Amino acid sequence: MPGIEIAGITKEFPGGVTALNALDLTIEDGEFFALLGPSGCGKTTLLRTIAGLEPATSGQIRIGDRDVTDLSPGDRNVAMVFQDYALYPHMTVRENIAYPLKVKKVARQQRSDEADAAGASLSLDELMERRPGQLSGGQQQRVALARAIACRPDAFLFDEPLSNLDARLRLEARGFLKQLQHDLATTAVFVTHDQSEALALADRMAVMELGEIRQVGTPSDLFPHPANLFVASFIGSTPMNLVPGNAGSDGVTFEGGVLPVAASALPVAGGDAEAADVVYGIRPEYVDVTGPGDGLDGTVTVTENLGTQFLVTVEIGGVQLRATVPEGDEPRLGDRVGLAPDARRALLYDVATGSLLG
């Protein structure tokens, strides 16, 4: 199936608002690609620009070997699944699924057959004569997906399609959506502000901020090696520890002591470690909780139950550091403990630019 190539796409709205700032991005054919970022970062605008619902101010969009920059949405052969599913309340499930084919003037019997086949693939056989108001949220989502499948598009565009589902159903739908995309082998672009969805679903992902792409990579690239402070603070269900300090040959000195870091990550000058102001980053998952005197000593101020783990916040020299411990091993509030960060997992960021050093 065709991939998507975005070259220098800029989108400006009246009043001088730049929603997308000269973006370059290549999405491979058959890839499940996530656009991740906070509200207002431009991810939905980029999706709508790919779909043709928003005209680009400048730049080019190619789907496969076609330049679609100036084509209408109906001529781009993409299918979009919206956050609210956008089903027609007066139509049956069959009619909703078949409606895009009707717009394309496909013969009645053929579009009915296509709708039945798409519905069957998503286990909607028993619901084809119902209307959206008679369906649960998960069933409505499957109808929206079936409508997209029936079009046989070159690409699926998903605009936060799981956000209206409850927590349990979201987890089920997440796995279902990934399996469906894999089976269809169709390029998919998925917009979300939920990093856990992006990490679970995406083959690759782009993290966006203020209309720009801050980092592109696989989940296994971005989670352990965020390229800048914005990505470091945004990616991960537990916030990364980010501690300002001074890097030297022994590690990074801060108010509570010295944080260990691999020698290869230290700023160097002439082969020797160079003292420099940095931000020390390490994920709570890479910090061990030990006994007092065996690491950086501090006082437990917060414990949060994550299910099979606890997130423990420890105050050390006026700085809050977090670590995870297995369920049953959690300390109590007020306990004195030690923290032992894994030096191999520590990252250093430039204070001025926010970029990863080394």
Side-chain angles (χ1 to χ4, degrees):
M1 300 299 296
I4 300 171
E5 185 174 349
I6 296 162
I9 282 294
T10 294
K11 174 61 182 178
E12 296 176 353
F13 288 105
V17 178
T18 301
L20 303 173
N21 186 16
L23 297 188
D24 294 317
L25 182 65
T26 299
I27 299 169
E28 303 295 339
D29 59 335
E31 186 173 41
F32 199 120
F33 194 94
L35 299 175
L36 174 67
S39 297
C41 71
K43 56 188 184 295
T44 294
T45 299
L46 178 55
L47 194 76
R48 290 174 62 86
T49 303
I50 296 171
L53 300 175
E54 296 285 354
T57 304
S58 61
Q60 183 184 61
I61 299 173
R62 299 185 67 86
I63 300 177
D65 58 0
R66 296 192 305 146
D67 183 346
V68 302
T69 311
D70 298 320
L71 295 183
S72 67
D75 292 330
R76 298 193 181 200
N77 197 29
V78 297
M80 190 160 178
V81 178
F82 295 90
Q83 183 175 359
D84 61 0
Y85 311 135
L87 301 178
Y88 296 104
H90 64 288
M91 293 184 181
T92 65
V93 167
R94 178 179 288 103
E95 290 167 340
N96 265 284
I97 296 172
Y99 187 74
L101 301 175
K102 182 178 181 180
V103 172
K104 293 182 178 181
K105 302 188 185 304
V106 175
R108 176 178 296 181
Q109 187 58 51
Q110 182 180 348
R111 64 178 185 252
S112 180
D113 291 344
E114 294 282 359
D116 287 343
S121 71
L122 297 177
S123 302
L124 294 170
D125 314 64
E126 305 298 322
L127 307 175
M128 297 300 282
E129 298 306 321
R130 293 191 189 181
R131 286 180 167 76
Q134 299 171 302
L135 305 176
S136 68
Q139 290 168 336
Q140 290 183 35
Q141 183 211 41
R142 282 188 282 146
V143 174
L145 291 171
R147 182 175 59 187
I149 292 169
C151 296
R152 300 187 181 181
D154 290 334
F156 292 117
L157 307 178
F158 298 110
D159 186 11
E160 304 204 42
L162 309 183
S163 61
N164 289 334
L165 304 179
D166 61 52
R168 180 178 176 180
L169 196 52
R170 285 182 77 167
L171 288 175
E172 293 176 0
R174 199 165 71 184
F176 169 79
L177 191 60
K178 178 66 174 178
Q179 185 63 50
L180 176 65
Q181 188 271 340
H182 179 269
D183 292 344
L184 296 173
T186 303
T187 305
V189 186
F190 183 92
V191 161
T192 182
H193 64 272
D194 186 329
Q195 49 185 300
S196 62
E197 282 183 2
L199 291 169
L201 286 169
D203 299 318
R204 286 192 307 141
M205 55 201 289
V207 181
M208 296 183 64
E209 181 193 24
L210 300 176
E212 298 187 354
I213 293 175
R214 298 304 186 196
Q215 188 175 359
V216 177
T218 66
S220 57
D221 290 334
L222 268 65
F223 183 82
H225 295 293
N228 50 68
L229 285 173
F230 174 77
V231 178
S233 63
F234 192 78
I235 292 288
S237 56
T238 55
M240 179 181 274
N241 293 301
L242 296 171
V243 182
N246 185 266
S249 57
D250 295 332
V252 175
T253 302
F254 76 116
E255 293 180 8
V258 179
L259 292 159
V261 61
S264 58
L266 290 167
V268 296
D272 297 321
E274 177 185 21
D277 291 333
V278 298
V279 176
Y280 178 100
I282 191 163
R283 296 203 176 278
E285 293 85 354
Y286 304 146
V287 181
D288 290 331
V289 177
T290 64
D294 187 14
L296 295 162
D297 287 358
T299 302
V300 176
T301 58
V302 180
T303 61
E304 301 172 54
N305 191 337
L306 305 180
T308 59
Q309 291 183 315
F310 272 74
L311 180 64
V312 179
T313 302
V314 180
E315 182 174 331
I316 302 175
V319 175
Q320 305 285 331
L321 290 173
R322 296 178 179 86
T324 57
V325 297
E327 178 190 14
D329 293 342
E330 68 276 6
R332 294 173 297 179
L333 294 179
D335 281 356
R336 293 288 293 178
V337 299
L339 292 186
D342 185 345
R344 299 167 302 173
R345 300 284 196 169
L347 304 171
L348 300 184
Y349 294 91
D350 184 89
V351 170
T353 65
S355 297
L356 180 65
L357 297 171

